[in-house]
């Protein structure tokens, strides 16, 4: 797959790398904020203890990325005609 990038000019490749780094940084910050909001809500309402809420957030965030990535890969790689649900 890396052979697709062999003919690029230096500045085009640099812009692609910068765009990728920006997107990864944005996703990480967005994930931190979403997790903090969810954990703060259950702690503030005293629905869970703080330690348990943080551990659950970590576990479910990990499995969400893991399973979401697997689902996307399976949907994109499966030999099917209709990909409208992917």
């Amino acid at each position: 797959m890396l052979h697709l990038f062999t003919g690029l000019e230096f500045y085009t490749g640099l812009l692609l790398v910068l765009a990728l780094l920006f997107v990864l940084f944005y996703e990480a910050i967005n994930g931190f904020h979403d997790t903090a909001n969810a954990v703060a809500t259950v702690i503030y309402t005293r629905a869970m203890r703080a330690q348990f809420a943080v551990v659950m957030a970590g576990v479910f965030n990990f499995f969400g990325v893991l399973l979401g990535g697997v689902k996307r890969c399976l949907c994109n790689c499966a030999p099917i005609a209709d990909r409208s649900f992917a």
Side-chain angles (χ1 to χ4, degrees):
M1 181 178 214
L2 292 176
H3 70 281
L4 297 172
F5 301 105
T6 55
L8 290 179
E9 294 181 14
F10 174 74
Y11 291 111
T12 306
L14 182 64
L15 285 174
L16 284 173
V17 169
L18 288 175
L20 177 64
L21 290 175
F22 177 75
V23 167
L24 291 174
F25 180 75
Y26 176 80
E27 286 298 323
I29 297 299
N30 189 32
F32 291 150
H33 290 187
D34 289 346
T35 301
N37 289 337
V39 171
T41 301
V42 296
I43 292 172
Y44 180 75
T45 59
R46 298 186 182 183
M48 291 183 197
R49 291 180 297 132
Q51 293 85 3
F52 186 64
V54 170
V55 169
M56 277 188 63
V59 168
F60 284 115
N61 276 318
F62 175 76
F63 282 120
V65 170
L66 182 70
L67 297 175
V70 170
K71 178 234 175 237
R72 183 174 303 257
C73 179
L74 291 176
C75 288
N76 290 338
C77 296
I80 55 175
D82 182 22
R83 294 180 189 266
S84 61
F85 66 100

